[in-house]
């Protein structure tokens, strides 16, 4: 199997950065919407918001991992 060229490696890295950036944006938007009220009362996160964000991020990554595994399994069967 031929080795990828530098241009191909750069293109793959750019795609990966784009995907990670998109995932981070979706994560922050989703969890902030669920856990942080629009009418800010304090400058810092309170305990409930902090716990909610921690659980939300954990669930987000858990689901993301399961979806990735499922997609890889589907691709492997083809």
């Amino acid at each position: 199997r031929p080795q990828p060229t530098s241009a191909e490696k750069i293109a793959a890295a750019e795609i990966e950065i784009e995907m990670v950036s998109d995932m981070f944006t979706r994560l922050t938007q989703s969890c902030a919407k669920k856990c942080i009220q629009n009418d800010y009362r304090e400058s810092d996160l309170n305990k409930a918001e902090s716990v909610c964000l921690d659980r939300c991020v954990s669930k987000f990554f858990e689901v993301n991992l399961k979806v990735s595994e499922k997609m890889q399994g589907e691709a492997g069967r083809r």
Side-chain angles (χ1 to χ4, degrees):
R1 182 168 114 165
Q3 293 293 324
T5 65
S6 292
E8 291 171 333
K9 289 178 184 178
I10 291 170
E14 288 173 343
I15 290 170
E16 187 172 350
I17 289 171
E18 218 173 276
M19 288 172 43
V20 170
S21 179
D22 178 59
M23 183 177 67
F24 178 77
T25 300
R26 287 185 291 119
L27 168 71
T28 54
Q29 288 175 345
S30 175
C31 291
K33 185 177 179 180
K34 290 177 186 176
C35 299
I36 301 174
Q37 304 259 335
N38 286 339
D39 57 334
Y40 302 112
R41 296 187 180 139
E42 304 169 13
S43 61
D44 294 330
L45 293 175
N46 62 39
K47 184 166 176 94
E49 292 169 332
S50 185
V51 168
C52 180
L53 286 169
D54 186 47
R55 288 180 179 163
C56 182
V57 169
S58 178
K59 287 179 183 179
F60 185 92
F61 281 116
E62 186 178 320
V63 168
N64 194 26
L65 181 64
K66 287 181 181 182
V67 169
S68 294
E69 289 171 352
K70 180 85 172 165
M71 291 176 71
Q72 286 177 351
E74 293 290 324
R77 286 186 221 136
R78 291 182 187 165

